[in-house]
Amino acid sequence: MTLDWSRLKHAYGSAADLPQRFDEIGDPELADAAWEELWTSLYHQGSVYTASFAALPVLTDIAAGRRPGGRRSALGLAGRIVVAEQQRHELGYVQARYPAAINELHQLTQNVVTTRPFEGDVDDFLYWLEHLLAFEGVPVWRRNLHRKELPVVCPSCALSLEIDLSNQGPGTRRRNPNARFRVVGRETPIVSAVRPTDPVDLPPLASRLHGVAVRAEQAAAAEHLTHLFGSTSCPDCASDFSVSDQVVAFQS
């Protein structure tokens, strides 16, 4: 049965224009503009829509080469859509609704992250690892592997904290829990360092991802994972705690 795209929505309203966009990405003269339209329509500033999920089988066909278009672009867009699954659906929706597509997208993504050398920088690589976990249905880490500031709470004194993994010298600072935005250049100073975990002591999921990063010759990504799954101390009560445990606790 042919899908009625006009009944679905994307960032700009009716998704009736999507079939035309999917045709245009196979035309070298129109492909760049069409891909820009697809990304902004289906994954607009991190938001997803009913048409985003309906597009997964089409993106899978493009990523697998059964339909013309940019294979890597299609795979990347599908990954970001599934990462954001819980914006609109319960965890596991895409695996249940599109099992064949998700299985194929997972295999294609595994091929990307195990290719040596990986085509991209450390941040690109971490985003692809997030896609891999999203296709596996893994919560929390599908959207928190990349280098950024992570809000947490001290498990001992309940102080609001921020783990900053976005720069060299990752560390912990106090955080205003009521502040919606942090003004660049006005963040509170780093108080406690983040101590990396020895790779042999990483928990199973982190150990697997670390191994993938090492094999892909992504040393910076591998090092980042040892900090993300490392430990730090509360600036107020001085208690030590696991970074990853508190990220999971804060987002669960």
Side-chain angles (χ1 to χ4, degrees), residues 180-225:
R180 294 185 60 193
F181 303 101
R182 181 160 60 86
V183 179
V184 174
R186 294 180 57 186
E187 62 270 12
T188 58
I190 293 290
V191 179
S192 304
V194 172
R195 300 178 293 277
T197 294
D198 190 302
V200 300
D201 296 324
L202 288 168
L205 175 65
S207 179
R208 173 165 69 95
L209 298 177
H210 185 273
V212 172
V214 170
R215 289 189 293 274
E217 301 176 6
Q218 288 289 313
E223 181 182 12
H224 166 71
L225 290 167

Short mmCIF file of all heavy atoms in Angstrom, two decimals, residues 180-225:
data_model
loop_
_atom_site.label_atom_id
_atom_site.label_comp_id
_atom_site.label_asym_id
_atom_site.label_seq_id
_atom_site.Cartn_x
_atom_site.Cartn_y
_atom_site.Cartn_z
N ARG A 180 18.03 28.04 32.52
CA ARG A 180 17.68 27.33 31.30
C ARG A 180 18.82 27.36 30.30
O ARG A 180 19.02 26.46 29.52
CB ARG A 180 16.43 27.94 30.67
CG ARG A 180 15.17 27.78 31.49
CD ARG A 180 13.97 28.30 30.74
NE ARG A 180 13.77 27.59 29.48
CZ ARG A 180 12.94 28.01 28.52
NH1 ARG A 180 12.29 29.14 28.66
NH2 ARG A 180 12.81 27.31 27.41
N PHE A 181 19.59 28.46 30.31
CA PHE A 181 20.68 28.59 29.36
C PHE A 181 21.94 29.03 30.09
O PHE A 181 21.87 29.78 31.06
CB PHE A 181 20.34 29.64 28.27
CG PHE A 181 19.08 29.32 27.52
CD1 PHE A 181 17.90 29.98 27.83
CD2 PHE A 181 19.08 28.36 26.53
CE1 PHE A 181 16.73 29.68 27.15
CE2 PHE A 181 17.91 28.06 25.84
CZ PHE A 181 16.74 28.72 26.15
N ARG A 182 23.08 28.55 29.61
CA ARG A 182 24.35 28.94 30.19
C ARG A 182 25.04 29.88 29.20
O ARG A 182 25.29 29.51 28.06
CB ARG A 182 25.22 27.72 30.46
CG ARG A 182 26.55 28.04 31.09
CD ARG A 182 27.12 26.80 31.75
NE ARG A 182 27.34 25.73 30.79
CZ ARG A 182 28.45 25.59 30.07
NH1 ARG A 182 29.42 26.46 30.18
NH2 ARG A 182 28.60 24.58 29.24
N VAL A 183 25.33 31.10 29.65
CA VAL A 183 25.95 32.08 28.77
C VAL A 183 27.41 31.69 28.53
O VAL A 183 28.16 31.44 29.48
CB VAL A 183 25.87 33.50 29.38
CG1 VAL A 183 26.55 34.51 28.47
CG2 VAL A 183 24.41 33.87 29.63
N VAL A 184 27.80 31.61 27.27
CA VAL A 184 29.16 31.21 26.93
C VAL A 184 30.16 32.19 27.55
O VAL A 184 30.01 33.41 27.45
CB VAL A 184 29.34 31.17 25.40
CG1 VAL A 184 30.80 30.90 25.05
CG2 VAL A 184 28.43 30.11 24.79
N GLY A 185 31.16 31.67 28.19
CA GLY A 185 32.18 32.50 28.82
C GLY A 185 31.85 32.91 30.24
O GLY A 185 32.66 33.53 30.92
N ARG A 186 30.65 32.56 30.74
CA ARG A 186 30.26 32.96 32.08
C ARG A 186 29.93 31.75 32.96
O ARG A 186 29.32 31.89 34.01
CB ARG A 186 29.05 33.90 32.02
CG ARG A 186 29.38 35.24 31.36
CD ARG A 186 28.17 36.14 31.32
NE ARG A 186 27.61 36.39 32.64
CZ ARG A 186 26.47 37.05 32.87
NH1 ARG A 186 25.78 37.52 31.84
NH2 ARG A 186 26.02 37.24 34.08
N GLU A 187 30.34 30.57 32.53
CA GLU A 187 30.09 29.39 33.34
C GLU A 187 30.96 29.42 34.59
O GLU A 187 32.03 30.03 34.61
CB GLU A 187 30.35 28.11 32.54
CG GLU A 187 31.77 27.93 32.07
CD GLU A 187 32.01 28.54 30.71
OE1 GLU A 187 31.15 29.29 30.23
OE2 GLU A 187 33.08 28.26 30.14
N THR A 188 30.50 28.76 35.62
CA THR A 188 31.28 28.68 36.84
C THR A 188 32.51 27.83 36.60
O THR A 188 32.55 26.99 35.71
CB THR A 188 30.45 28.07 37.99
OG1 THR A 188 30.00 26.78 37.58
CG2 THR A 188 29.25 28.94 38.31
N PRO A 189 33.59 28.05 37.37
CA PRO A 189 34.84 27.35 37.09
C PRO A 189 34.78 25.86 37.43
O PRO A 189 34.00 25.42 38.27
CB PRO A 189 35.85 28.08 37.99
CG PRO A 189 35.01 28.62 39.12
CD PRO A 189 33.70 28.99 38.49
N ILE A 190 35.65 25.11 36.75
CA ILE A 190 35.84 23.71 37.07
C ILE A 190 36.43 23.60 38.48
O ILE A 190 37.37 24.30 38.82
CB ILE A 190 36.79 23.04 36.05
CG1 ILE A 190 36.14 22.97 34.67
CG2 ILE A 190 37.24 21.67 36.54
CD1 ILE A 190 34.99 22.00 34.58
N VAL A 191 35.85 22.75 39.29
CA VAL A 191 36.31 22.58 40.67
C VAL A 191 36.99 21.23 40.87
O VAL A 191 38.02 21.12 41.54
CB VAL A 191 35.14 22.76 41.66
CG1 VAL A 191 35.62 22.57 43.10
CG2 VAL A 191 34.50 24.13 41.50
N SER A 192 36.40 20.19 40.31
CA SER A 192 36.92 18.84 40.49
C SER A 192 37.23 18.22 39.13
O SER A 192 36.44 18.37 38.18
CB SER A 192 35.91 17.95 41.22
OG SER A 192 35.55 18.51 42.46
N ALA A 193 38.34 17.53 39.04
CA ALA A 193 38.70 16.85 37.80
C ALA A 193 37.88 15.57 37.63
O ALA A 193 37.38 15.01 38.60
CB ALA A 193 40.19 16.51 37.80
N VAL A 194 37.73 15.15 36.38
CA VAL A 194 37.16 13.84 36.09
C VAL A 194 38.32 12.87 35.91
O VAL A 194 39.22 13.09 35.10
CB VAL A 194 36.28 13.87 34.82
CG1 VAL A 194 35.87 12.46 34.42
CG2 VAL A 194 35.05 14.73 35.04
N ARG A 195 38.29 11.79 36.67
CA ARG A 195 39.36 10.80 36.64
C ARG A 195 38.97 9.66 35.70
O ARG A 195 37.91 9.04 35.88
CB ARG A 195 39.64 10.27 38.04
CG ARG A 195 40.05 11.36 39.03
CD ARG A 195 40.26 10.80 40.42
NE ARG A 195 39.03 10.32 41.03
CZ ARG A 195 38.14 11.09 41.65
NH1 ARG A 195 38.33 12.40 41.75
NH2 ARG A 195 37.04 10.56 42.18
N PRO A 196 39.79 9.37 34.70
CA PRO A 196 39.44 8.31 33.75
C PRO A 196 39.52 6.93 34.38
O PRO A 196 40.29 6.69 35.31
CB PRO A 196 40.49 8.47 32.65
CG PRO A 196 41.67 9.07 33.34
CD PRO A 196 41.09 9.99 34.39
N THR A 197 38.72 6.03 33.86
CA THR A 197 38.77 4.63 34.27
C THR A 197 39.76 3.89 33.37
O THR A 197 39.81 4.12 32.17
CB THR A 197 37.37 4.00 34.14
OG1 THR A 197 36.50 4.60 35.09
CG2 THR A 197 37.42 2.49 34.40
N ASP A 198 40.53 3.02 33.97
CA ASP A 198 41.42 2.17 33.18
C ASP A 198 40.57 1.36 32.22
O ASP A 198 39.54 0.79 32.61
CB ASP A 198 42.19 1.24 34.11
CG ASP A 198 43.31 0.49 33.38
OD1 ASP A 198 43.01 -0.21 32.39
OD2 ASP A 198 44.46 0.61 33.81
N PRO A 199 40.95 1.28 30.93
CA PRO A 199 40.14 0.54 29.96
C PRO A 199 39.78 -0.88 30.39
O PRO A 199 38.70 -1.38 30.06
CB PRO A 199 41.01 0.55 28.70
CG PRO A 199 41.79 1.82 28.81
CD PRO A 199 42.08 1.97 30.28
N VAL A 200 40.66 -1.54 31.13
CA VAL A 200 40.36 -2.92 31.54
C VAL A 200 39.26 -2.98 32.59
O VAL A 200 38.67 -4.05 32.83
CB VAL A 200 41.62 -3.64 32.08
CG1 VAL A 200 42.70 -3.69 31.02
CG2 VAL A 200 42.15 -2.96 33.34
N ASP A 201 38.95 -1.83 33.22
CA ASP A 201 37.92 -1.79 34.25
C ASP A 201 36.60 -1.19 33.77
O ASP A 201 35.67 -1.02 34.57
CB ASP A 201 38.42 -0.99 35.46
CG ASP A 201 39.62 -1.64 36.14
OD1 ASP A 201 39.65 -2.87 36.20
OD2 ASP A 201 40.52 -0.91 36.60
N LEU A 202 36.50 -0.87 32.50
CA LEU A 202 35.27 -0.29 31.97
C LEU A 202 34.13 -1.30 32.05
O LEU A 202 34.34 -2.51 31.87
CB LEU A 202 35.46 0.14 30.52
CG LEU A 202 36.31 1.38 30.27
CD1 LEU A 202 36.66 1.51 28.79
CD2 LEU A 202 35.61 2.64 30.77
N PRO A 203 32.90 -0.84 32.30
CA PRO A 203 31.74 -1.75 32.27
C PRO A 203 31.53 -2.28 30.86
O PRO A 203 32.06 -1.72 29.89
CB PRO A 203 30.58 -0.86 32.75
CG PRO A 203 31.02 0.53 32.46
CD PRO A 203 32.50 0.55 32.63
N PRO A 204 30.74 -3.35 30.70
CA PRO A 204 30.65 -4.04 29.41
C PRO A 204 30.32 -3.15 28.21
O PRO A 204 30.97 -3.24 27.17
CB PRO A 204 29.56 -5.08 29.66
CG PRO A 204 29.68 -5.38 31.12
CD PRO A 204 30.02 -4.08 31.77
N LEU A 205 29.30 -2.30 28.34
CA LEU A 205 28.93 -1.45 27.21
C LEU A 205 30.07 -0.51 26.84
O LEU A 205 30.45 -0.40 25.66
CB LEU A 205 27.67 -0.64 27.53
CG LEU A 205 27.26 0.38 26.46
CD1 LEU A 205 26.87 -0.33 25.17
CD2 LEU A 205 26.12 1.27 26.95
N ALA A 206 30.63 0.17 27.84
CA ALA A 206 31.73 1.10 27.58
C ALA A 206 32.95 0.37 27.03
O ALA A 206 33.65 0.88 26.16
CB ALA A 206 32.08 1.85 28.86
N SER A 207 33.21 -0.83 27.54
CA SER A 207 34.36 -1.61 27.06
C SER A 207 34.19 -1.96 25.58
O SER A 207 35.16 -1.89 24.80
CB SER A 207 34.49 -2.89 27.90
OG SER A 207 35.58 -3.66 27.45
N ARG A 208 32.97 -2.32 25.19
CA ARG A 208 32.72 -2.64 23.78
C ARG A 208 32.94 -1.42 22.90
O ARG A 208 33.60 -1.51 21.86
CB ARG A 208 31.30 -3.17 23.60
CG ARG A 208 30.90 -3.37 22.14
CD ARG A 208 29.66 -4.22 22.01
NE ARG A 208 28.46 -3.56 22.50
CZ ARG A 208 27.61 -2.88 21.70
NH1 ARG A 208 27.84 -2.76 20.41
NH2 ARG A 208 26.52 -2.35 22.21
N LEU A 209 32.39 -0.27 23.31
CA LEU A 209 32.55 0.95 22.53
C LEU A 209 34.01 1.39 22.48
O LEU A 209 34.50 1.86 21.44
CB LEU A 209 31.68 2.06 23.12
CG LEU A 209 30.17 1.80 23.12
CD1 LEU A 209 29.44 2.95 23.81
CD2 LEU A 209 29.64 1.60 21.71
N HIS A 210 34.71 1.25 23.60
CA HIS A 210 36.13 1.60 23.65
C HIS A 210 36.91 0.73 22.67
O HIS A 210 37.78 1.23 21.94
CB HIS A 210 36.65 1.41 25.07
CG HIS A 210 38.07 1.84 25.27
ND1 HIS A 210 39.13 1.00 25.03
CD2 HIS A 210 38.60 3.03 25.66
CE1 HIS A 210 40.26 1.63 25.29
NE2 HIS A 210 39.98 2.86 25.66
N GLY A 211 36.58 -0.55 22.62
CA GLY A 211 37.25 -1.44 21.69
C GLY A 211 36.99 -1.06 20.24
O GLY A 211 37.90 -1.10 19.40
N VAL A 212 35.76 -0.66 19.94
CA VAL A 212 35.43 -0.21 18.59
C VAL A 212 36.26 1.03 18.24
O VAL A 212 36.81 1.13 17.13
CB VAL A 212 33.93 0.10 18.47
CG1 VAL A 212 33.61 0.75 17.12
CG2 VAL A 212 33.10 -1.17 18.63
N ALA A 213 36.37 1.97 19.18
CA ALA A 213 37.14 3.19 18.94
C ALA A 213 38.61 2.88 18.71
O ALA A 213 39.25 3.45 17.82
CB ALA A 213 36.97 4.15 20.12
N VAL A 214 39.17 1.99 19.50
CA VAL A 214 40.58 1.63 19.35
C VAL A 214 40.82 0.99 17.98
O VAL A 214 41.78 1.33 17.27
CB VAL A 214 41.02 0.68 20.48
CG1 VAL A 214 42.40 0.10 20.20
CG2 VAL A 214 41.02 1.42 21.82
N ARG A 215 39.94 0.07 17.59
CA ARG A 215 40.11 -0.61 16.31
C ARG A 215 39.93 0.34 15.13
O ARG A 215 40.52 0.14 14.05
CB ARG A 215 39.15 -1.79 16.20
CG ARG A 215 39.52 -2.95 17.12
CD ARG A 215 38.67 -4.18 16.83
NE ARG A 215 37.27 -3.98 17.17
CZ ARG A 215 36.76 -4.18 18.38
NH1 ARG A 215 37.55 -4.58 19.38
NH2 ARG A 215 35.47 -4.00 18.61
N ALA A 216 39.13 1.39 15.33
CA ALA A 216 38.92 2.38 14.27
C ALA A 216 40.00 3.46 14.29
O ALA A 216 39.91 4.42 13.53
CB ALA A 216 37.55 3.02 14.42
N GLU A 217 40.98 3.30 15.16
CA GLU A 217 42.09 4.25 15.28
C GLU A 217 41.59 5.63 15.71
O GLU A 217 42.16 6.65 15.33
CB GLU A 217 42.89 4.33 13.99
CG GLU A 217 43.47 2.99 13.57
CD GLU A 217 44.19 3.02 12.23
OE1 GLU A 217 44.35 4.13 11.67
OE2 GLU A 217 44.59 1.96 11.74
N GLN A 218 40.55 5.65 16.55
CA GLN A 218 40.00 6.88 17.10
C GLN A 218 40.44 7.01 18.56
O GLN A 218 39.65 6.80 19.50
CB GLN A 218 38.48 6.87 16.97
CG GLN A 218 37.98 7.05 15.55
CD GLN A 218 38.21 8.47 15.04
OE1 GLN A 218 37.91 9.45 15.72
NE2 GLN A 218 38.76 8.59 13.85
N ALA A 219 41.71 7.36 18.75
CA ALA A 219 42.29 7.40 20.09
C ALA A 219 41.60 8.44 20.97
O ALA A 219 41.38 8.21 22.17
CB ALA A 219 43.79 7.71 20.01
N ALA A 220 41.23 9.60 20.40
CA ALA A 220 40.59 10.65 21.21
C ALA A 220 39.22 10.19 21.68
O ALA A 220 38.80 10.50 22.81
CB ALA A 220 40.48 11.94 20.40
N ALA A 221 38.50 9.47 20.84
CA ALA A 221 37.19 8.95 21.24
C ALA A 221 37.34 7.90 22.34
O ALA A 221 36.56 7.87 23.30
CB ALA A 221 36.46 8.35 20.04
N ALA A 222 38.34 7.04 22.20
CA ALA A 222 38.59 6.02 23.22
C ALA A 222 38.91 6.67 24.56
O ALA A 222 38.41 6.25 25.61
CB ALA A 222 39.72 5.11 22.77
N GLU A 223 39.74 7.71 24.52
CA GLU A 223 40.09 8.41 25.77
C GLU A 223 38.85 9.08 26.38
O GLU A 223 38.65 9.05 27.60
CB GLU A 223 41.17 9.45 25.51
CG GLU A 223 41.61 10.20 26.75
CD GLU A 223 42.65 11.27 26.46
OE1 GLU A 223 42.87 11.59 25.28
OE2 GLU A 223 43.22 11.79 27.43
N HIS A 224 38.04 9.69 25.54
CA HIS A 224 36.82 10.35 26.02
C HIS A 224 35.92 9.35 26.76
O HIS A 224 35.36 9.68 27.82
CB HIS A 224 36.06 10.95 24.84
CG HIS A 224 34.65 11.35 25.15
ND1 HIS A 224 34.33 12.43 25.96
CD2 HIS A 224 33.46 10.78 24.80
CE1 HIS A 224 33.02 12.52 26.07
NE2 HIS A 224 32.47 11.54 25.37
N LEU A 225 35.80 8.15 26.24
CA LEU A 225 34.96 7.15 26.89
C LEU A 225 35.48 6.77 28.27
O LEU A 225 34.69 6.48 29.18
CB LEU A 225 34.85 5.91 26.00
CG LEU A 225 34.04 6.10 24.71
CD1 LEU A 225 34.25 4.94 23.75
CD2 LEU A 225 32.56 6.29 25.02
#
